[in-house]
Amino acid sequence: LSDPQAIAALPQRLEADYDRLRVLVNNAAVSPKRGGRKIAFVDLTLQDWNQVMAVNLTGAFLMCQGCLPPMLKAGF
């Protein structure tokens, strides 16, 4: 979800495989861990923060932006 090019290609692939796109469930998220344990907020690095934002927010935004046009076209 942090690769805009992969996300941009996904709606067309889904339409090709399933005829039309009807539903989008934005349910992916990351929570940084080290050694199998969650990292406390005060211990996050900027790199950790950027990964969280890329997947949890930007990924959801890009999925909505990419999937909404085919959904509207299909009448949803």
Side-chain angles (χ1 to χ4, degrees), residues 33-39:
K33 295 179 181 180
R34 284 198 193 87
R37 303 186 78 190
K38 283 188 177 182
I39 302 169

Side-chain angles (χ1 to χ4, degrees), residues 20-39:
R20 61 184 171 179
L21 187 57
R22 298 178 185 160
V23 176
L24 169 65
V25 178
N26 263 325
N27 193 35
V30 294
S31 181
K33 295 179 181 180
R34 284 198 193 87
R37 303 186 78 190
K38 283 188 177 182
I39 302 169

Side-chain angles (χ1 to χ4, degrees), residues 8-74:
L10 185 61
Q12 293 79 22
R13 286 182 42 209
L14 291 172
E15 277 189 300
D17 290 346
Y18 299 103
D19 184 40
R20 61 184 171 179
L21 187 57
R22 298 178 185 160
V23 176
L24 169 65
V25 178
N26 263 325
N27 193 35
V30 294
S31 181
K33 295 179 181 180
R34 284 198 193 87
R37 303 186 78 190
K38 283 188 177 182
I39 302 169
F41 179 77
V42 297
D43 296 326
L44 287 176
T45 65
L46 182 56
Q47 183 178 1
D48 295 329
W49 179 255
N50 287 336
Q51 179 193 24
V52 169
M53 294 298 108
V55 173
N56 297 10
L57 294 178
T58 304
F61 165 76
L62 292 171
M63 287 296 294
C64 287
Q65 195 174 48
C67 291
L68 187 58
M71 291 172 74
L72 291 173
K73 184 175 84 177

